[in-house]
């Protein structure tokens, strides 16, 4: 089969509704403790990624678990294909081999399998949404294998160690692979009851944030705390490091009943016995919460280094690929990079289950003899043209300035930023993955300390402790941040935490965290010429080629996809200006007065 079109998808569209029907009286955040969120679609043709997007950007539901019909339609339209022309559909879960395990656990898990997990059920959902029969054309791909493929093939490495670590696949929470000419060979698996991802989610719940969404808040909270207050307790009672790179998480074994497994109630009760009452989401964040977050982050980093040090020594492999939700922990990634344990390190930018859709397609492509190609960048989502921009801007209350070329656009936008305005920036194809990297961004001046509070409270409507990322030109990255020259390109997707050099920390207060760390994005001229030019122009005006970069959305909303969404969010979030392609949009005086 030459140049096969393989549509990969993620998500378990019926899992949450089954849980809601089975346990109708749970809290809303307890329903989030369900597999199958972050549904996405990715189209691979002849081993080459053509297009990919998360369904949340189409249905407006953060971490959507719905079958990715909107995302799939977009990928097919991009390729000029109809659903009838798809050669194979690959799903990033393969529960069939675990049928007896699930159906043997009692009524709830038998029902969950038969209603939501069974590959035949998910094939039927895909058939209904795509409008075609998939008999002989549907592949259920093991979850961690899909994650591993999503990192290994885009990396371009010939051979590598691959670590997949998340909450839960079919039955395992982490898998170590050796990747090479023979494909991906499993070296070790970690069972679900020793999941570092679930442990992090459990602590996230305890700290009053949402499971499956608030983990990055805990990561941002950790630098405010003292890990030494609790790390010994956690390592003594709840997380055990063993020989051979193994670790165990006995805290998760507290959840014995079906209800406790679905709410973590028993484990949370143990935590409350040790730490005191769990935080209510409406309560203020106290120092004790910060100390708990700091200890958790330190334990995660120690356990991961423990595991990888063993397999680095056992295999002799000098390159590492990371995927799975835990790989989105930029602080842990930064520790790993600075450890020097591996000579080369690649992290899949869409390491959550959205990226597993891509990995499932890659697995099937590789099986067909079409080795997937390395991938550069993340701009595989929808793009819009000048007509779309003009239509979105044609509404009352807006002043629209039409710039003639990139130079005028960059000069005007840089001036707005350096004058203290908060600017929405909508350019080119949407990024695939959770990070806004200069295509769907909110930008501001990182020299202004008040920007952190203003954007957190008034624009993003989120917690005040949350840090913002600096985007810096590649050429200036090593001078301003503690990054080795050979590592600058690794910071392109905002996947590693680095440190601001002391000479610059006070000059960049809006993007320098409490411990002088920063989730740096390095911007290359060749990869992102317009964004690079903007940052360079800001540097010409300020002496610092750095901008504050955060995702173009507000709390509870996915990152904007379309020009219309960009305009609505610009108005709702109280941004000062919106750059939509070549258009620079502000409110009219009357509109601005009404908004104030």
């Amino acid at each position: 089969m030459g140049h096969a079109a393989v549509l990969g998808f993620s998500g378990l569209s019926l899992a949450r509704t089954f849980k809601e029907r089975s346990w109708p009286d749970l809290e809303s955040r307890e329903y989030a403790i369900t597999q199958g969120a972050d549904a996405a679609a990715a189209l691979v043709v002849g081993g080459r990624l053509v297009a990919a997007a998360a369904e949340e950007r189409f249905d407006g539901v953060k971490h959507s678990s719905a079958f990715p019909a909107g995302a799939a339609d977009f990928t097919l339209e991009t390729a000029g294909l109809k659903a009838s022309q798809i050669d194979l559909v690959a799903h990033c879960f393969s529960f069939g081999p675990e049928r007896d395990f699930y159906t043997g656990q009692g009524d709830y898990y038998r029902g969950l399998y038969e209603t939501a997990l069974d590959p035949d059920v998910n094939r039927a959902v895909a058939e209904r949404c795509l409008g075609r029969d998939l008999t002989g054309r549907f592949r259920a791909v093991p979850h961690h294998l899909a994650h591993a493929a999503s990192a290994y093939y885009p990396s371009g490495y010939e051979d590598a160690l691959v670590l997949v670590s998340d909450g839960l696949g079919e039955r395992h929470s982490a898998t170590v692979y050796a990747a090479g000419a023979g494909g991906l060979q499993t070296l070790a698996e970690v069972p679900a009851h020793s999941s570092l991802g679930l442990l992090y989610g459990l602590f996230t719940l305890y700290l009053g944030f949402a499971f499956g969404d608030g983990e990055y808040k805990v990561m941002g909270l950790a630098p405010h705390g003292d890990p030494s207050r609790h790390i010994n307790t956690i390592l003594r009672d709840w997380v055990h490091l063993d020989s051979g790179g193994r670790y165990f998480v006995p805290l998760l074994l507290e959840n014995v009943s079906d209800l406790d497994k679905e709410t973590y109630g028993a484990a949370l009760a143990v935590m409350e016995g040790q730490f005191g009452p769990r935080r209510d989401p409406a309560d203020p964040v106290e120092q004790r919460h910060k100390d708990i977050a700091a200890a958790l982050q330190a334990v995660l980093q120690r356990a991961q280094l423990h595991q990888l040090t063993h397999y680095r020594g056992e295999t002799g492999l000098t390159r590492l690929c990371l995927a799975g939700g835990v790989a989105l922990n930029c602080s842990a990634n930064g520790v790993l990079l600075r450890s020097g344990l591996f000579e080369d390190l690649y992290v899949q930018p869409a390491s959550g289950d959205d990226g597993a859709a891509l990995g499932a397609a890659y697995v099937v492509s590789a099986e067909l003899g079409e080795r997937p190609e390395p991938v550069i960048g993340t701009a595989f989502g929808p793009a819009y043209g000048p007509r779309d921009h003009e239509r979105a801007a044609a509404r009352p209350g807006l002043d629209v300035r039409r710039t003639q070329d990139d130079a005028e656009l960059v000069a005007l936008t840089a001036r707005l930023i350096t004058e203290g305005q908060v600017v929405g920036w909508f350019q080119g194809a949407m990024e695939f993955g959770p990070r806004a990297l200069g295509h769907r961004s909110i930008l501001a001046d990182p020299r202004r300390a008040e920007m952190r509070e203003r954007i957190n409270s008034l624009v993003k409507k989120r917690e005040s402790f949350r840090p913002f990322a600096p985007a810096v030109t590649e050429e200036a990255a090593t001078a301003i941040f503690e990054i080795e020259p050979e590592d600058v390109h690794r910071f392109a997707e905002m996947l590693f935490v680095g440190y601001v050099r002391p000479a610059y920390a006070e000059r960049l207060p809006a993007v320098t965290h409490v411990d002088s760390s920063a989730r740096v994005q390095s911007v290359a001229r060749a990869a992102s010429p317009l964004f690079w030019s903007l940052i360079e122009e800001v540097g010409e005006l300020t002496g610092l080629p750095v901008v504050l970069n955060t995702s173009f959305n507000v709390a509870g909303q996915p990152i904007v996809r379309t020009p219309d969404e960009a305009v609505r969010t610009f108005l709702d979030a109280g941004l000062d200006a919106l750059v939509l392609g070549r258009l620079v949009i502000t409110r009219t005086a009357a509109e601005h007065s009404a908004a104030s």
Side-chain angles (χ1 to χ4, degrees):
M1 185 184 292
H3 297 294
V6 182
L7 179 69
F9 77 97
S10 57
L12 293 166
S13 60
L14 301 174
R16 178 164 177 151
T17 54
F18 177 80
K19 182 172 180 175
E20 291 171 344
R21 196 164 61 245
S22 301
W23 309 98
D25 299 322
L26 299 183
E27 297 180 21
S28 60
R29 59 181 174 161
E30 290 174 324
Y31 291 120
I33 308 172
T34 306
Q35 275 188 289
D38 296 316
L43 183 66
V44 174
V45 178
R48 182 177 65 86
L49 173 59
V50 174
E55 186 62 15
E56 68 167 20
R57 311 290 176 89
F58 293 82
D59 66 13
V61 179
K62 280 200 78 174
H63 305 294
S64 177
S65 60
F67 180 84
D73 286 347
F74 151 69
T75 65
L76 292 172
E77 181 180 339
T78 301
L81 298 176
K82 299 178 180 177
S84 60
Q85 295 172 290
I86 301 170
D87 293 298
L88 291 164
V89 172
H91 187 209
C92 70
F93 285 101
S94 180
F95 283 98
E98 311 299 340
R99 178 184 183 280
D100 292 345
F101 172 78
Y102 279 91
T103 58
Q105 289 196 65
D107 291 344
Y108 177 75
Y109 288 103
R110 180 184 303 110
L112 177 64
Y113 179 87
E114 293 173 348
T115 302
L117 307 183
D118 189 334
D120 288 340
V121 169
N122 286 287
R123 187 189 78 182
V125 171
E127 288 177 332
R128 183 172 67 253
C129 293
L130 294 173
R132 62 163 298 184
D133 178 26
L134 295 175
T135 302
R137 296 184 180 273
F138 184 85
R139 300 287 186 272
V141 177
H143 190 65
H144 282 184
L145 181 61
H147 272 308
S150 79
Y152 169 57
Y153 289 118
S155 74
Y157 300 155
E158 286 298 317
D159 51 51
L161 193 70
V162 183
L163 172 63
V164 173
S165 184
D166 59 8
L168 173 64
E170 288 82 11
R171 284 183 65 179
H172 297 96
S173 62
T175 307
V176 182
Y177 297 88
L184 289 149
Q185 306 300 320
T186 302
L187 300 179
E189 295 175 312
V190 179
H193 56 70
S194 286
S195 172
L196 294 176
L198 292 182
L199 177 74
Y200 214 96
L202 172 61
F203 273 70
T204 298
L205 279 174
Y206 174 86
L207 291 169
F209 304 115
F211 179 93
D213 179 66
E215 285 81 358
Y216 59 96
K217 300 181 183 182
V218 176
M219 182 182 71
L221 187 63
H224 291 271
D226 178 3
S228 68
R229 295 200 59 191
H230 299 296
I231 189 170
N232 290 334
T233 297
I234 296 174
L235 289 172
R236 183 190 68 221
D237 298 337
W238 297 341
V239 179
H240 298 160
L241 306 185
D242 202 0
S243 61
R246 293 188 296 270
Y247 56 82
F248 304 95
V249 185
L251 178 60
L252 296 176
L253 292 173
E254 299 287 343
N255 301 312
V256 176
S257 71
D258 290 352
L259 182 59
D260 281 338
K261 290 176 183 176
E262 293 300 308
T263 62
Y264 297 158
L268 285 166
V270 171
M271 293 181 69
E272 289 188 310
Q274 177 64 45
F275 295 144
R278 60 193 284 197
R279 174 180 166 268
D280 185 272
D283 290 343
V285 174
E286 301 171 355
Q287 187 58 46
R288 72 182 187 94
H289 301 128
K290 299 173 185 178
D291 294 339
I292 292 167
L296 170 67
Q297 182 65 35
V299 167
L300 171 68
Q301 291 165 184
R302 186 176 297 188
Q304 192 170 70
L305 272 175
H306 170 76
Q307 181 183 46
L308 289 169
T309 299
H310 171 78
Y311 288 103
R312 166 68 177 85
E314 184 179 82
T315 64
L317 292 167
T318 61
R319 301 179 183 90
L320 175 67
C321 300
L322 295 178
V326 175
L328 291 173
N329 191 298
C330 312
S331 295
N333 294 348
V335 168
L336 184 56
L337 180 64
R338 291 188 296 276
S339 75
L341 187 59
F342 292 89
E343 295 176 7
D344 241 337
L345 175 57
Y346 176 84
V347 182
Q348 165 55 243
S351 271
D353 275 9
D354 46 358
L358 169 61
Y362 278 158
V363 169
V364 171
S365 291
E367 289 174 352
L368 296 172
E370 298 180 342
R371 182 180 173 88
E373 298 177 3
V375 173
I376 298 174
T378 64
F380 291 98
Y384 299 86
R387 289 184 180 179
D388 302 304
H389 302 154
E390 290 283 357
R391 276 195 294 268
R395 57 187 295 169
L398 299 182
D399 274 333
V400 181
R401 177 168 174 175
R402 294 166 178 84
T403 59
Q404 298 304 305
D405 53 28
D406 288 349
E408 183 186 359
L409 177 72
V410 162
L412 177 55
T413 306
R415 181 170 60 78
L416 294 173
I417 290 171
T418 56
E419 289 175 352
Q421 298 203 27
V422 181
V423 178
W425 177 260
F426 185 104
Q427 301 291 343
M430 184 179 74
E431 301 93 340
F432 180 51
R435 309 292 187 220
L437 301 171
H439 296 253
R440 303 288 187 275
S441 291
I442 293 173
L443 307 176
D445 189 343
R447 302 171 304 153
R448 298 172 181 263
E450 70 273 12
M451 280 302 171
R452 182 195 294 257
E453 176 61 27
R454 181 188 169 193
I455 299 174
N456 267 329
S457 62
L458 299 179
V459 178
K460 301 281 281 189
K461 301 175 177 64
R462 65 184 203 177
E463 299 84 359
S464 62
F465 64 81
R466 301 267 298 279
F468 289 108
V472 58
T473 60
E474 267 196 346
E475 294 81 356
T478 59
I480 299 173
F481 301 97
E482 295 178 359
I483 300 174
E484 297 300 321
E486 63 271 20
D487 290 330
V488 169
H489 70 283
R490 302 187 208 289
F491 285 79
E493 282 89 23
M494 216 184 282
L495 291 163
F496 297 91
V497 164
Y499 287 88
V500 185
R501 294 194 184 277
Y504 290 93
E506 290 188 2
R507 298 176 65 188
L508 295 168
V511 294
T512 302
H513 208 14
V514 64
D515 60 347
S516 294
S517 66
R519 195 179 70 210
V520 182
Q521 178 195 358
S522 62
V523 180
R525 185 174 192 172
S528 192
L530 186 62
F531 194 38
W532 181 92
S533 296
L534 173 62
I535 302 170
E536 183 75 2
E537 181 66 18
V538 168
E540 290 293 323
L541 296 174
T542 67
L544 290 170
V546 184
V547 296
L548 180 157
N549 179 17
T550 189
S551 56
F552 198 162
N553 65 328
V554 295
Q557 173 198 54
I559 296 173
V560 299
R561 171 175 59 94
T562 69
D564 284 331
E565 291 170 2
V567 171
R568 286 198 301 270
T569 303
F570 155 66
L571 293 170
D572 293 344
L575 303 182
D576 298 307
L578 167 62
V579 179
L580 191 63
R582 287 272 177 83
L583 307 181
V584 179
I585 303 169
T586 54
R587 293 177 181 80
T588 61
E591 173 67 22
H592 195 276
S593 177
S596 301

